Amino acid sequence: MATQAHSLSYAGCNFLRQRLVLSTLSGRPVKIRKIRARDDNPGLRDFEASFIRLLDKITNGSRIEINQTGTTLYYQPGLLFGGSVEHDCSVLRSIGYYLEGLLCLAPFMKHPLKIVLRGVTNDQVDPSVDVLKATALPLLKQFGIDGESFDLKIVRRGMPPGGGGEVFFSCPVRKVLKPIQLTDPGKIKRIRGMAYSVRVSPQMANRIVDSARSILNKFIPDIYIYTDHMKGVNSGKSPGFGLSLVAETTSGTFLSAELASNPQGQGAAVLPEDLGRNCARLLLEEIHRGGCVDSTNQSLALLLMTLGQQDVSKVLLGPISPYTIEFLRHLKSFFQIMFKIETKPCGEELKGGDKILMTCVGVGFSNLSKTLK
Amino acid sequence: GDKHARPSRRYHGQKPGSKDLIEETSDIEDLLKKEEDYKEENNYSTETSGAVKWKEDLSRKAAEAFLRQQQAAPNLRKLVYGTVTEDAEDDDRDGQEELGGLFHIRQPDGGCKYKADALDCSRFPVQAPHNWDLEEVMNSIRDCFVTGEWEEDKDAAKILAKDDE
């Protein structure tokens, strides 16, 4: 373990997860100061504390120090251990918030991670479990992370503010990652979706489907939107509905969009027809951005390229998000990796906006925690 | 661009002559060379051959696209890593303002102030949504679909057939 490594220092609560995740993977401790220092309610929030507890559960020998006001956090990572874990996520953020961190770490555990996460499965802030299942899992497969045990399942659906959802995630471990060459996004051959509703009329989902189809049918005939109406204990504690859409291309690219209804007691009631149409338009926006990786998964792709074997990896992206830009800076700090960034103008082609080609040479990270057989 | 320069200077200080930087610089030099060569070629063809009108236009368009790309690329790099490797040395000299020879003026790290405590979320919200009811907006992504135009080197039928297997 790199306990003697010089620690990196940051300020503020933003990008907390990427800092902790990269710290864990690189073995470099981090110190984060001034966490909401000027806020009326300073320090770490419950959902962040819950994320830190989760990291503690899946690692062995991590050292976590938080000052009395919660405005300063010191994290010295231990070894990624994995195994069977259960975790109650804070309902202030959805399970997607926690899952995004786990997707980065799970392939590098000593024992394959099998985790039950409880909380909110779908909200308006973070990528939902449905979207991560449909986009992040196929992306991990491109890097050679695959197998029978690779699974992400929604056991119970839970909407905010009450939550009550449950998710099962299991991921195989790999010693090394394959480099990728994702430069051709291919063409969209079908659109799939999931219209869900809990504790409201099941008719809501059907109304969402019809309105979303009315827009997408102008582009492609192969559209299928499943409806999912979980009942009883499987429907969580709060009513709500929503839609996630995924466009799949001939070369295995998955682009997604999603919308959820306002949480009970917050904001005006949303009409399912409006939600369906707006979500379809968001998918068209995502298609316009384009690239070989969905905008929410950009940083996951760049991380796995960085950790790949010492070989060239390339990926074509749409415009890079502010979250990804910060992630690239962090990759430079933690792994001394800088990407070559080239703009590919759209020109005369009818394929949306300008694209960006990202190239790097992997650091040749190998999973030392993994038990040899 | 002083506020962007800070992180890279640190990088410079830590790793003088790092491999990355040398590669980058030579890359940029290569590109600049290509750019010069290209212009010369362009002049040559328009002066001597008196070529067909559309060809002239084509090379101009290509040159413009190339220039646009050249300008956009370093900007993006600058946006991400704080600076373009070329002008890192210039920035070293300025930005060292002193007050009364004793106090250094502290410069906020590249716009970090407003976002340091912002929401930690990977979603990338659409800033300026298109109007998807307009025919021309819809057409802007037509070829992203199998129902659109295919590149010449790709046989649509073959790819789709392979897919069904």
Side-chain angles (χ1 to χ4, degrees), chain B residues 25-38:
Chain B
T25 322
S26 65
D27 268 357
I28 290 164
E29 276 166 10
D30 281 349
L31 287 171
L32 288 174
K33 260 182 224 155
K34 276 184 211 158
E35 195 184 325
E36 280 162 22
D37 292 346
Y38 190 82

Side-chain angles (χ1 to χ4, degrees), chain A residues 11-17 34 36-37 93 97 100 124-127 184 187-189 218-220 250 258 281 284-285 287-289 295 319-323 325-326 328-329 332 336 338-341 343 350-352 356, chain B residues 7-8 11 15 20 24 27 61 65 68-69 72-73 76-77 79-81 106 115-126 128-130 132-133 138-147 149-151 154 159-160 163:
Chain A
C13 65
N14 204 356
F15 312 114
L16 180 82
R17 290 174 300 161
K34 294 183 185 169
R36 297 192 184 86
R93 294 297 286 265
Y97 173 87
E100 281 185 301
Q124 297 178 319
V125 183
D126 294 295
D184 177 19
K187 287 187 187 292
I188 295 162
K189 58 181 179 183
K218 295 172 192 164
F219 294 90
I220 193 163
T250 48
E258 64 177 323
R281 290 187 188 116
L284 298 178
E285 294 287 352
I287 292 167
H288 188 272
R289 282 173 173 169
S295 64
I320 46 181
S321 70
Y323 187 84
I325 290 176
E326 201 60 31
L328 283 165
R329 294 174 186 156
K332 188 178 131 186
Q336 289 77 49
M338 279 171 95
F339 279 73
K340 187 172 173 191
I341 308 170
T343 309
L350 300 178
K351 287 183 179 174
I356 297 167
Chain B
S8 94
Y11 187 76
K15 306 195 141 262
D20 281 344
E24 261 330 301
D27 268 357
K61 265 189 197 165
R68 190 149 40 94
Q69 194 179 340
L76 205 56
R77 199 181 166 79
L79 181 73
V80 174
Y81 293 120
R106 213 171 142 257
K115 64 176 185 187
D117 275 333
L119 186 78
D120 178 17
C121 180
S122 68
R123 278 239 190 119
F124 188 13
V126 179
H130 295 87
W132 291 104
D133 296 329
M138 285 170 62
N139 284 338
S140 71
I141 56 167
R142 281 283 175 215
D143 294 347
C144 296
F145 294 85
V146 288
T147 45
E149 291 270 327
W150 286 70
E151 293 80 8
K154 283 174 190 146
I159 291 179
L160 287 176
D163 214 75

Side-chain angles (χ1 to χ4, degrees), chain A residues 183-238:
Chain A
T183 51
D184 177 19
K187 287 187 187 292
I188 295 162
K189 58 181 179 183
R190 57 176 165 241
I191 292 173
R192 293 291 177 263
M194 172 73 80
Y196 57 86
S197 55
V198 285
R199 301 189 172 267
V200 293
S201 157
Q203 200 50 39
M204 292 296 201
N206 296 329
R207 287 163 66 183
I208 294 172
V209 172
D210 291 341
S211 57
R213 287 193 72 109
S214 71
I215 288 187
L216 299 173
N217 259 331
K218 295 172 192 164
F219 294 90
I220 193 163
D222 189 353
I223 301 170
Y224 196 90
I225 301 172
Y226 298 85
T227 54
D228 170 288
H229 183 74
M230 286 194 168
K231 287 182 182 143
V233 287
N234 291 337
S235 65
K237 293 174 181 165
S238 300

